[in-house]
Amino acid sequence: MPGEGCSWRGIIMITTVSFFVALLIGLPIFITLLLGTLVFLMQADLTVLMSDLTIQLYGSLNQNGLLAIPLFMLVGELMNKGGLTSRLMNAADVFVGGFKGGLAYVNLLTNAMAASILGSATAQIAVMSRLMVPTMVEKGYKKEFSAAVTMAGGLLGPIIPPSMLMIIYGVVAYQPISALFIAGILPGILIVLGFALVIFVTGIVSGLPSGEHLKHKNVRQEVLSGLLPGTIPLVVIICIIAGVMTPTEAGAIASIMAFVMGFFVYKSINIKDLPGIFGAVGINTATITGLIATASVFGWALSFEGIPDMLVEWISGITTSPLLFLMLVYLLVILLGMFLESISVMIVIVPIILPAALSFGIDPIHFGVIISLATLVGLVTPPVGPGLYIAMTSANLPMGSLFKAMLPFLLSMFICMLIIAVFPAISLWLPSLM
């Protein structure tokens, strides 16, 4: 029960203020979460539970599903080091480069193919901004539009499998990662088509440069060279659907394939590169698992006092419509995403809001797709959107002009999100076939 003279409203207010103060002074997210947990326990007169914090921290990481995180990160690092993006771009150019506004379609299609391997929106935006924006500007595209297309394409990374966000949701929400991977396929395709429609309409209204294939000495060789990396996610998806591999095992096989391609086929990875690659994977894995551990402890503390149940009761008093509930989730997660990184939002919000989603009869796999989509929007929206800042820096553009160019793509994203919320079958049909 709350401490003497302290209501639940006061406890939550003090905890929330402590959380945001810690963020504003620049403390790491995992320390901020741990601090929020300690403040909550002290305010709720639950200091006796502090002796169990280490056990809870250990237990939250004692899950086999977490092994998939460093493995798929390793795939992304190996393929990124191996020059994946430029090969995918040449392959995409063969297919769509000749259309009006062809380079914009090449940018989008390359992002869609790279998304299935890199799995990180920020990494994808960083790579594609350096590669595609200068090329598009040189061919006569406006710099703002070029950067906006790149940011939009980067949003595909956490949706098209294998997706890091889906792995993290699966671990936090105790849902099968294989089903979550498959659930992202059709929503990813829908979003690609929505963004392609924006490019098409922009070409009609504002005019885009005429399509022109890049110079290829051997089209067949370019296609094969570019599509070979695409076999990695294909093998992952097929093996998971067939039930012959778990996502963790598929991540291990994908890592081996990525190394073989980079070292033996493309010869773009040297043995000397491996310590740096493993070091980057180790640091990123430690960051994410630290977030998962502290967020799990925070969720445990809240659940101990029934805060999620109170949230369910409060939301039920506002609406009994599952669709309206999902719209509120969209709004909440987008607002949080304006201040926190997408993985942090996912880890913090899922343990609190998932019980409410289940009480509305929403399938947890479908909810995983919904909340993943919502976290992506925050990547490219002010004031903190990391994808927005990466593209601004790479393209040397002010935030206002870049965000204005991004608005049509965001509108398309919102429409796709609404369609996916209204029609859960888009997320659930393929997993139901497994």
Side-chain angles (χ1 to χ4, degrees):
M1 294 299 294
E4 185 178 351
C6 191
S7 66
W8 281 120
R9 183 176 296 178
I11 292 173
I12 294 172
M13 179 65 70
I14 293 172
T15 303
T16 303
V17 170
S18 302
F19 182 83
F20 280 102
V21 167
L23 281 179
L24 289 174
I25 63 177
L27 292 179
I29 299 294
F30 78 94
I31 293 180
T32 300
L33 286 168
L34 190 57
L35 179 63
T37 303
L38 295 175
V39 169
F40 177 81
L41 291 177
M42 288 188 291
Q43 290 296 316
D45 198 19
L46 295 172
T47 52
V48 67
L49 296 180
M50 290 185 182
S51 60
D52 293 333
L53 287 181
T54 53
I55 297 174
Q56 292 297 325
L57 286 168
Y58 173 79
S60 65
L61 299 180
N62 189 23
Q63 301 183 53
N64 291 333
L66 286 173
L67 289 173
I69 293 177
L71 289 171
F72 281 110
M73 280 188 171
L74 180 59
V75 175
E77 289 288 336
L78 288 170
M79 296 308 295
N80 202 14
K81 184 69 177 179
L84 158 73
T85 308
S86 59
R87 290 182 173 87
L88 291 177
M89 186 186 77
N90 290 338
D93 180 67
V94 171
F95 293 107
V96 297
F99 298 148
K100 183 178 178 63
L103 268 183
Y105 292 110
V106 169
N107 191 342
L108 184 62
L109 187 57
T110 303
N111 266 300
M113 292 189 290
S116 59
I117 299 172
L118 297 178
S120 166
T122 51
Q124 200 165 308
I125 292 172
V127 171
M128 293 298 291
S129 294
R130 293 193 299 267
L131 184 66
M132 285 301 302
V133 173
T135 303
M136 291 180 68
V137 171
E138 183 182 343
K139 296 294 182 179
Y141 292 81
K142 292 182 179 180
K143 186 183 287 188
E144 293 85 355
F145 176 76
S146 303
V149 173
T150 303
M151 282 199 300
L155 298 183
L156 300 170
I159 292 297
I160 298 178
S163 160
M164 193 59 60
L165 272 183
M166 294 297 191
I167 295 174
I168 291 170
Y169 175 84
V171 170
V172 175
Y174 300 98
Q175 296 300 315
I177 296 171
S178 56
L180 289 165
F181 276 2
I182 307 306
I185 295 176
L186 292 183
I189 293 174
L190 176 65
I191 293 169
V192 170
L193 294 176
F195 290 163
L197 181 61
V198 172
I199 296 172
F200 178 75
V201 172
T202 303
I204 294 175
V205 175
S206 303
L208 293 175
S210 298
E212 178 185 355
H213 287 292
L214 299 178
K215 303 299 182 183
H216 300 284
K217 295 180 180 179
N218 190 324
V219 170
R220 182 179 179 183
Q221 183 178 347
E222 293 285 1
V223 172
L224 291 177
S225 176
L227 294 184
L228 184 59
T231 60
I232 294 177
L234 191 62
V235 168
V236 169
I237 293 170
I238 290 176
C239 289
I240 289 175
I241 291 177
V244 298
M245 290 183 190
T246 65
T248 301
E249 293 165 344
I253 295 299
S255 299
I256 295 172
M257 291 177 65
F259 175 74
V260 169
M261 289 181 191
F263 188 78
F264 294 103
V265 179
Y266 300 133
K267 302 186 186 303
S268 52
I269 296 177
N270 298 317
I271 294 297
K272 294 180 180 179
D273 297 326
L274 294 181
I277 291 173
F278 291 142
V281 171
I283 292 172
N284 290 332
T285 300
T287 301
I288 292 176
T289 52
L291 281 171
I292 290 173
T294 50
S296 297
V297 168
F298 187 54
W300 163 74
L302 295 179
S303 298
F304 189 87
E305 285 300 307
I307 300 299
D309 295 332
M310 296 180 190
L311 181 64
V312 170
E313 184 178 349
W314 177 71
I315 294 176
S316 299
I318 297 175
T319 178
T320 57
S321 167
L323 180 59
L324 183 55
F325 168 75
L326 290 179
M327 296 301 103
L328 291 173
V329 169
Y330 274 149
L331 180 61
L332 173 63
V333 175
I334 289 171
L335 289 174
L336 287 175
M338 292 180 180
F339 300 94
L340 300 174
E341 198 268 334
S342 57
I343 291 176
S344 303
V345 174
M346 174 76 75
I347 294 172
V348 170
I349 202 68
V350 168
I352 300 173
I353 205 73
L354 181 59
L358 297 177
S359 73
F360 277 89
I362 297 170
D363 188 281
I365 300 297
H366 176 55
F367 189 69
V369 174
I370 290 291
I371 205 164
S372 297
L373 289 171
T375 60
L376 296 181
V377 177
L379 287 172
V380 294
T381 50
V384 184
L388 187 63
Y389 279 99
I390 290 171
M392 283 169 53
T393 303
S394 299
N396 193 24
L397 287 168
M399 179 185 290
S401 61
L402 180 54
F403 184 66
K404 182 179 178 181
M406 186 64 191
L407 287 176
F409 293 99
L410 282 177
L411 176 61
S412 174
M413 184 75 172
F414 290 143
I415 293 173
C416 291
M417 290 166 64
L418 178 60
I419 292 172
I420 293 166
V422 172
F423 301 103
I426 297 174
S427 302
L428 300 177
W429 180 63
L430 286 180
S432 69
L433 300 179
M434 292 177 60

